[in-house]
Amino acid sequence: MTAEFLWYIPNQVEPGHRGDDATSGHNSLDRLTELALLTEQHGWGGALLGTGWGRPDTFTVAAALAARTTTFRPLVAIRPGYWRPAHFASAAGTLDQLSGGRLLVNIVSGQDNLKAYGDSEGDQAQRYARTKEFLQLVRRLWTEENVTFTGDYFQVTDSTVATRPVVPPKLYFGGASEAAQRVAATDADVQLFWGEPLDGITQRISRLRELEDELGREHKPLEFGLRITTLVRDTTEEAWADAEAKVATMAENAGDRDHRWFKAVGQQRLIDLAARGDVLDDNLYTAPGKYGGGGAGTTWLVGSAEDVAKSLKKYQDLGITHFILSDTPYREETIRIGDQLLPLLR
């Protein structure tokens, strides 16, 4: 399968996300459009747009960027509970039609300020049971007419989405808990991993394949993706000098992070890696997680374009076919990594 390479476009009210340039108008339509157009011009298939209460609405941003681009594919992160499944299926079908089939969807079930928008959160089992229903119902609404569905969390009667997708968008999904993996194994299209070492990714892929067989997957085999920071410079030495300087600045500004803050299983897996060493495999840098790096910023692949390409190819050999990369400042790194790294991976 041909690998897919996506970038990340920050979707933030406050400037300076993860060391990005704190410029005026950082989240204006012109600025975001510039970033999306740069992905088109420098080899990227599109970009992930993050979600969360307190950010600009991700779906609105995606629609605006799709209208101003030609090939850019927005990977729109959305949350069950913030969206009702029928409402989302209709909105997504409309955007996919208007953009000529370019929409991708990332389903997020993690922490958020749920009470602020009127949602509530049960325990982990309930959260992922609701996500499972959401995925199942959205798929049906994209492909069937007169859908009636009665679940524990969602219900529709005789529901037909008027504007369906050109092709149902791929459903990306994250989560490392057993409950999350069981949902991914049966109902997602792409399981996203954060930047774990090769042995950890190998174990997780093996477990997901076991669950596919055990639970009886009805769709095409699950695909796998990697969401990670890639710090690329002209030489290995320059890359490590810049990486260590960035982490030193993070340490000065934030101090040692209280690991109890991280409740998500996947995030805790990344934090725990630091106990194995600051550098794992060839060039997986775990130190950022000690000083404020979270999510995809917790571990970094560091080196020359050749170094990082070699590491990413090892993930490809494990079965990873979707890559979502990023580094800051976003504008400059969209160009640098697109021009220097991507040609080595194709």
Side-chain angles (χ1 to χ4, degrees), residues 5 23 49 53 63 66 85-86 88 123 132 140 166 171 211 218 228 242 252 287 294 323 331 339 345:
F5 296 95
T23 59
L49 304 172
W53 188 252
F88 173 73
D123 59 23
K132 183 180 182 70
R140 289 190 60 189
V166 176
L171 297 168
L211 286 170
E218 298 178 355
I228 193 169
D242 283 1
E252 290 175 4
F323 294 87
R331 184 188 185 283
D339 290 354
L345 297 169

PDB file of all heavy atoms in Angstrom, residues 5 23 49 53 63 66 85-86 88 123 132 140 166 171 211 218 228 242 252 287 294 323 331 339 345:
ATOM      1  N   PHE A   5       1.331  10.783   3.547  1.00  0.00           N
ATOM      2  CA  PHE A   5       2.077  11.696   4.406  1.00  0.00           C
ATOM      3  C   PHE A   5       1.272  12.983   4.595  1.00  0.00           C
ATOM      4  O   PHE A   5       1.025  13.731   3.648  1.00  0.00           O
ATOM      5  CB  PHE A   5       3.450  12.002   3.807  1.00  0.00           C
ATOM      6  CG  PHE A   5       4.326  10.787   3.709  1.00  0.00           C
ATOM      7  CD1 PHE A   5       4.380  10.055   2.542  1.00  0.00           C
ATOM      8  CD2 PHE A   5       5.052  10.347   4.806  1.00  0.00           C
ATOM      9  CE1 PHE A   5       5.166   8.914   2.454  1.00  0.00           C
ATOM     10  CE2 PHE A   5       5.832   9.211   4.724  1.00  0.00           C
ATOM     11  CZ  PHE A   5       5.892   8.487   3.549  1.00  0.00           C
ATOM     12  N   THR A  23       3.159  35.091  15.754  1.00  0.00           N
ATOM     13  CA  THR A  23       2.903  36.206  14.848  1.00  0.00           C
ATOM     14  C   THR A  23       1.466  36.693  15.001  1.00  0.00           C
ATOM     15  O   THR A  23       0.584  35.951  15.423  1.00  0.00           O
ATOM     16  CB  THR A  23       3.124  35.773  13.391  1.00  0.00           C
ATOM     17  OG1 THR A  23       2.247  34.672  13.095  1.00  0.00           O
ATOM     18  CG2 THR A  23       4.561  35.334  13.168  1.00  0.00           C
ATOM     19  N   LEU A  49      -6.075  18.679  11.571  1.00  0.00           N
ATOM     20  CA  LEU A  49      -6.548  19.868  12.288  1.00  0.00           C
ATOM     21  C   LEU A  49      -7.062  19.406  13.639  1.00  0.00           C
ATOM     22  O   LEU A  49      -8.020  18.639  13.719  1.00  0.00           O
ATOM     23  CB  LEU A  49      -7.668  20.556  11.505  1.00  0.00           C
ATOM     24  CG  LEU A  49      -7.341  20.973  10.061  1.00  0.00           C
ATOM     25  CD1 LEU A  49      -8.603  21.464   9.363  1.00  0.00           C
ATOM     26  CD2 LEU A  49      -6.272  22.050  10.038  1.00  0.00           C
ATOM     27  N   TRP A  53     -12.437  21.857  23.052  1.00  0.00           N
ATOM     28  CA  TRP A  53     -13.180  23.043  23.465  1.00  0.00           C
ATOM     29  C   TRP A  53     -12.181  24.128  23.845  1.00  0.00           C
ATOM     30  O   TRP A  53     -11.209  23.888  24.541  1.00  0.00           O
ATOM     31  CB  TRP A  53     -14.093  22.724  24.638  1.00  0.00           C
ATOM     32  CG  TRP A  53     -15.012  23.856  24.969  1.00  0.00           C
ATOM     33  CD1 TRP A  53     -14.940  24.676  26.051  1.00  0.00           C
ATOM     34  CD2 TRP A  53     -16.125  24.296  24.193  1.00  0.00           C
ATOM     35  NE1 TRP A  53     -15.953  25.615  26.009  1.00  0.00           N
ATOM     36  CE2 TRP A  53     -16.702  25.404  24.867  1.00  0.00           C
ATOM     37  CE3 TRP A  53     -16.706  23.878  22.991  1.00  0.00           C
ATOM     38  CZ2 TRP A  53     -17.816  26.084  24.392  1.00  0.00           C
ATOM     39  CZ3 TRP A  53     -17.811  24.559  22.515  1.00  0.00           C
ATOM     40  CH2 TRP A  53     -18.359  25.649  23.214  1.00  0.00           C
ATOM     41  N   ALA A  63     -13.611  23.404   6.397  1.00  0.00           N
ATOM     42  CA  ALA A  63     -14.432  23.803   5.251  1.00  0.00           C
ATOM     43  C   ALA A  63     -13.832  25.024   4.551  1.00  0.00           C
ATOM     44  O   ALA A  63     -13.781  25.093   3.312  1.00  0.00           O
ATOM     45  CB  ALA A  63     -15.858  24.097   5.711  1.00  0.00           C
ATOM     46  N   ALA A  66     -10.642  23.898   2.678  1.00  0.00           N
ATOM     47  CA  ALA A  66     -10.969  23.094   1.498  1.00  0.00           C
ATOM     48  C   ALA A  66     -11.408  23.985   0.348  1.00  0.00           C
ATOM     49  O   ALA A  66     -11.109  23.710  -0.827  1.00  0.00           O
ATOM     50  CB  ALA A  66     -12.058  22.087   1.841  1.00  0.00           C
ATOM     51  N   PRO A  85     -24.242  11.875  15.899  1.00  0.00           N
ATOM     52  CA  PRO A  85     -23.811  11.143  14.699  1.00  0.00           C
ATOM     53  C   PRO A  85     -24.545  11.520  13.420  1.00  0.00           C
ATOM     54  O   PRO A  85     -23.923  11.642  12.361  1.00  0.00           O
ATOM     55  CB  PRO A  85     -24.038   9.676  15.074  1.00  0.00           C
ATOM     56  CG  PRO A  85     -24.878   9.679  16.296  1.00  0.00           C
ATOM     57  CD  PRO A  85     -24.639  10.966  16.989  1.00  0.00           C
ATOM     58  N   ALA A  86     -25.871  11.713  13.477  1.00  0.00           N
ATOM     59  CA  ALA A  86     -26.588  12.062  12.252  1.00  0.00           C
ATOM     60  C   ALA A  86     -26.200  13.455  11.766  1.00  0.00           C
ATOM     61  O   ALA A  86     -26.015  13.684  10.560  1.00  0.00           O
ATOM     62  CB  ALA A  86     -28.095  11.971  12.477  1.00  0.00           C
ATOM     63  N   PHE A  88     -23.351  14.943  12.322  1.00  0.00           N
ATOM     64  CA  PHE A  88     -21.998  14.856  11.772  1.00  0.00           C
ATOM     65  C   PHE A  88     -21.987  14.178  10.406  1.00  0.00           C
ATOM     66  O   PHE A  88     -21.305  14.632   9.481  1.00  0.00           O
ATOM     67  CB  PHE A  88     -21.070  14.102  12.721  1.00  0.00           C
ATOM     68  CG  PHE A  88     -19.726  13.856  12.089  1.00  0.00           C
ATOM     69  CD1 PHE A  88     -18.838  14.900  11.919  1.00  0.00           C
ATOM     70  CD2 PHE A  88     -19.380  12.595  11.614  1.00  0.00           C
ATOM     71  CE1 PHE A  88     -17.624  14.702  11.277  1.00  0.00           C
ATOM     72  CE2 PHE A  88     -18.174  12.386  10.980  1.00  0.00           C
ATOM     73  CZ  PHE A  88     -17.290  13.444  10.810  1.00  0.00           C
ATOM     74  N   ASP A 123     -17.462   6.267  32.650  1.00  0.00           N
ATOM     75  CA  ASP A 123     -16.146   5.659  32.814  1.00  0.00           C
ATOM     76  C   ASP A 123     -15.590   5.285  31.446  1.00  0.00           C
ATOM     77  O   ASP A 123     -16.215   5.501  30.403  1.00  0.00           O
ATOM     78  CB  ASP A 123     -16.221   4.452  33.747  1.00  0.00           C
ATOM     79  CG  ASP A 123     -17.168   3.364  33.244  1.00  0.00           C
ATOM     80  OD1 ASP A 123     -17.436   3.302  32.023  1.00  0.00           O
ATOM     81  OD2 ASP A 123     -17.630   2.565  34.069  1.00  0.00           O
ATOM     82  N   LYS A 132     -18.046   3.591  19.834  1.00  0.00           N
ATOM     83  CA  LYS A 132     -18.339   2.474  18.934  1.00  0.00           C
ATOM     84  C   LYS A 132     -19.689   2.678  18.243  1.00  0.00           C
ATOM     85  O   LYS A 132     -19.810   2.512  17.019  1.00  0.00           O
ATOM     86  CB  LYS A 132     -18.329   1.160  19.712  1.00  0.00           C
ATOM     87  CG  LYS A 132     -18.555  -0.093  18.861  1.00  0.00           C
ATOM     88  CD  LYS A 132     -18.520  -1.338  19.737  1.00  0.00           C
ATOM     89  CE  LYS A 132     -18.701  -2.594  18.898  1.00  0.00           C
ATOM     90  NZ  LYS A 132     -17.514  -2.865  18.046  1.00  0.00           N
ATOM     91  N   ARG A 140     -23.274   3.707   8.630  1.00  0.00           N
ATOM     92  CA  ARG A 140     -24.558   3.343   8.024  1.00  0.00           C
ATOM     93  C   ARG A 140     -25.211   4.536   7.348  1.00  0.00           C
ATOM     94  O   ARG A 140     -25.750   4.423   6.249  1.00  0.00           O
ATOM     95  CB  ARG A 140     -25.485   2.746   9.082  1.00  0.00           C
ATOM     96  CG  ARG A 140     -25.069   1.357   9.567  1.00  0.00           C
ATOM     97  CD  ARG A 140     -26.148   0.734  10.434  1.00  0.00           C
ATOM     98  NE  ARG A 140     -27.410   0.602   9.686  1.00  0.00           N
ATOM     99  CZ  ARG A 140     -28.560   0.248  10.245  1.00  0.00           C
ATOM    100  NH1 ARG A 140     -28.626   0.006  11.561  1.00  0.00           N
ATOM    101  NH2 ARG A 140     -29.665   0.152   9.509  1.00  0.00           N
ATOM    102  N   VAL A 166     -18.510  11.403  -1.382  1.00  0.00           N
ATOM    103  CA  VAL A 166     -18.115  10.821  -2.665  1.00  0.00           C
ATOM    104  C   VAL A 166     -17.729   9.362  -2.445  1.00  0.00           C
ATOM    105  O   VAL A 166     -18.198   8.453  -3.123  1.00  0.00           O
ATOM    106  CB  VAL A 166     -16.947  11.617  -3.270  1.00  0.00           C
ATOM    107  CG1 VAL A 166     -16.459  10.968  -4.555  1.00  0.00           C
ATOM    108  CG2 VAL A 166     -17.368  13.062  -3.521  1.00  0.00           C
ATOM    109  N   LEU A 171     -11.836   6.717   8.612  1.00  0.00           N
ATOM    110  CA  LEU A 171     -12.028   7.051  10.016  1.00  0.00           C
ATOM    111  C   LEU A 171     -10.759   6.695  10.786  1.00  0.00           C
ATOM    112  O   LEU A 171     -10.465   5.525  11.014  1.00  0.00           O
ATOM    113  CB  LEU A 171     -13.232   6.294  10.569  1.00  0.00           C
ATOM    114  CG  LEU A 171     -14.573   6.641   9.920  1.00  0.00           C
ATOM    115  CD1 LEU A 171     -15.642   5.646  10.330  1.00  0.00           C
ATOM    116  CD2 LEU A 171     -14.999   8.061  10.267  1.00  0.00           C
ATOM    117  N   LEU A 211      -7.198  -8.919  18.051  1.00  0.00           N
ATOM    118  CA  LEU A 211      -8.557  -8.472  18.339  1.00  0.00           C
ATOM    119  C   LEU A 211      -9.433  -8.496  17.089  1.00  0.00           C
ATOM    120  O   LEU A 211     -10.630  -8.790  17.175  1.00  0.00           O
ATOM    121  CB  LEU A 211      -8.524  -7.068  18.942  1.00  0.00           C
ATOM    122  CG  LEU A 211      -8.037  -6.983  20.391  1.00  0.00           C
ATOM    123  CD1 LEU A 211      -7.821  -5.532  20.797  1.00  0.00           C
ATOM    124  CD2 LEU A 211      -9.018  -7.659  21.338  1.00  0.00           C
ATOM    125  N   GLU A 218     -15.708  -6.622  10.353  1.00  0.00           N
ATOM    126  CA  GLU A 218     -16.530  -6.713   9.155  1.00  0.00           C
ATOM    127  C   GLU A 218     -16.018  -5.843   8.010  1.00  0.00           C
ATOM    128  O   GLU A 218     -16.530  -5.931   6.894  1.00  0.00           O
ATOM    129  CB  GLU A 218     -17.971  -6.296   9.477  1.00  0.00           C
ATOM    130  CG  GLU A 218     -18.660  -7.192  10.504  1.00  0.00           C
ATOM    131  CD  GLU A 218     -20.059  -6.723  10.831  1.00  0.00           C
ATOM    132  OE1 GLU A 218     -20.457  -5.644  10.318  1.00  0.00           O
ATOM    133  OE2 GLU A 218     -20.746  -7.404  11.601  1.00  0.00           O
ATOM    134  N   ILE A 228       3.821  11.942  14.905  1.00  0.00           N
ATOM    135  CA  ILE A 228       5.060  12.192  15.633  1.00  0.00           C
ATOM    136  C   ILE A 228       5.706  13.498  15.178  1.00  0.00           C
ATOM    137  O   ILE A 228       5.487  13.955  14.052  1.00  0.00           O
ATOM    138  CB  ILE A 228       6.045  11.009  15.426  1.00  0.00           C
ATOM    139  CG1 ILE A 228       7.209  11.079  16.415  1.00  0.00           C
ATOM    140  CG2 ILE A 228       6.525  10.933  13.974  1.00  0.00           C
ATOM    141  CD1 ILE A 228       8.065   9.824  16.443  1.00  0.00           C
ATOM    142  N   ASP A 242      20.129  21.364  17.983  1.00  0.00           N
ATOM    143  CA  ASP A 242      18.892  22.132  18.056  1.00  0.00           C
ATOM    144  C   ASP A 242      17.855  21.439  18.941  1.00  0.00           C
ATOM    145  O   ASP A 242      17.116  22.099  19.687  1.00  0.00           O
ATOM    146  CB  ASP A 242      18.317  22.334  16.647  1.00  0.00           C
ATOM    147  CG  ASP A 242      19.049  23.413  15.863  1.00  0.00           C
ATOM    148  OD1 ASP A 242      20.011  23.981  16.406  1.00  0.00           O
ATOM    149  OD2 ASP A 242      18.658  23.679  14.712  1.00  0.00           O
ATOM    150  N   GLU A 252      13.616  25.136  31.208  1.00  0.00           N
ATOM    151  CA  GLU A 252      13.673  26.423  31.897  1.00  0.00           C
ATOM    152  C   GLU A 252      12.285  27.011  32.096  1.00  0.00           C
ATOM    153  O   GLU A 252      11.984  27.603  33.134  1.00  0.00           O
ATOM    154  CB  GLU A 252      14.533  27.405  31.092  1.00  0.00           C
ATOM    155  CG  GLU A 252      16.018  27.069  31.075  1.00  0.00           C
ATOM    156  CD  GLU A 252      16.785  28.012  30.160  1.00  0.00           C
ATOM    157  OE1 GLU A 252      16.155  28.947  29.614  1.00  0.00           O
ATOM    158  OE2 GLU A 252      17.994  27.810  29.994  1.00  0.00           O
ATOM    159  N   ALA A 287      13.275  12.877  25.835  1.00  0.00           N
ATOM    160  CA  ALA A 287      13.419  13.946  26.829  1.00  0.00           C
ATOM    161  C   ALA A 287      12.332  15.016  26.753  1.00  0.00           C
ATOM    162  O   ALA A 287      11.966  15.580  27.799  1.00  0.00           O
ATOM    163  CB  ALA A 287      14.804  14.584  26.711  1.00  0.00           C
ATOM    164  N   GLY A 294       3.622  17.046  25.097  1.00  0.00           N
ATOM    165  CA  GLY A 294       2.493  16.142  25.267  1.00  0.00           C
ATOM    166  C   GLY A 294       2.039  15.648  23.915  1.00  0.00           C
ATOM    167  O   GLY A 294       2.331  16.249  22.881  1.00  0.00           O
ATOM    168  N   PHE A 323       1.347   8.556   7.857  1.00  0.00           N
ATOM    169  CA  PHE A 323       2.270   9.318   8.690  1.00  0.00           C
ATOM    170  C   PHE A 323       1.760  10.746   8.817  1.00  0.00           C
ATOM    171  O   PHE A 323       1.445  11.393   7.809  1.00  0.00           O
ATOM    172  CB  PHE A 323       3.670   9.321   8.081  1.00  0.00           C
ATOM    173  CG  PHE A 323       4.321   7.975   8.057  1.00  0.00           C
ATOM    174  CD1 PHE A 323       4.115   7.108   6.993  1.00  0.00           C
ATOM    175  CD2 PHE A 323       5.121   7.551   9.112  1.00  0.00           C
ATOM    176  CE1 PHE A 323       4.700   5.857   6.968  1.00  0.00           C
ATOM    177  CE2 PHE A 323       5.714   6.305   9.093  1.00  0.00           C
ATOM    178  CZ  PHE A 323       5.503   5.447   8.024  1.00  0.00           C
ATOM    179  N   ARG A 331       5.406  26.975   9.548  1.00  0.00           N
ATOM    180  CA  ARG A 331       5.560  27.398   8.159  1.00  0.00           C
ATOM    181  C   ARG A 331       6.891  26.918   7.590  1.00  0.00           C
ATOM    182  O   ARG A 331       6.941  26.302   6.520  1.00  0.00           O
ATOM    183  CB  ARG A 331       5.461  28.931   8.048  1.00  0.00           C
ATOM    184  CG  ARG A 331       5.513  29.416   6.615  1.00  0.00           C
ATOM    185  CD  ARG A 331       5.600  30.947   6.506  1.00  0.00           C
ATOM    186  NE  ARG A 331       5.533  31.373   5.132  1.00  0.00           N
ATOM    187  CZ  ARG A 331       6.538  31.290   4.271  1.00  0.00           C
ATOM    188  NH1 ARG A 331       7.715  30.804   4.668  1.00  0.00           N
ATOM    189  NH2 ARG A 331       6.393  31.694   3.019  1.00  0.00           N
ATOM    190  N   ASP A 339      10.422  19.224   1.546  1.00  0.00           N
ATOM    191  CA  ASP A 339      11.409  19.197   0.471  1.00  0.00           C
ATOM    192  C   ASP A 339      12.561  18.228   0.738  1.00  0.00           C
ATOM    193  O   ASP A 339      13.076  17.604  -0.186  1.00  0.00           O
ATOM    194  CB  ASP A 339      11.993  20.610   0.278  1.00  0.00           C
ATOM    195  CG  ASP A 339      10.992  21.586  -0.315  1.00  0.00           C
ATOM    196  OD1 ASP A 339       9.880  21.147  -0.695  1.00  0.00           O
ATOM    197  OD2 ASP A 339      11.311  22.786  -0.379  1.00  0.00           O
ATOM    198  N   LEU A 345      11.235   9.196   1.059  1.00  0.00           N
ATOM    199  CA  LEU A 345      10.257   8.195   1.509  1.00  0.00           C
ATOM    200  C   LEU A 345       9.360   7.722   0.378  1.00  0.00           C
ATOM    201  O   LEU A 345       8.511   6.852   0.592  1.00  0.00           O
ATOM    202  CB  LEU A 345       9.408   8.783   2.636  1.00  0.00           C
ATOM    203  CG  LEU A 345      10.173   9.161   3.903  1.00  0.00           C
ATOM    204  CD1 LEU A 345       9.277   9.980   4.825  1.00  0.00           C
ATOM    205  CD2 LEU A 345      10.679   7.920   4.617  1.00  0.00           C
TER     206      LEU A 345
END
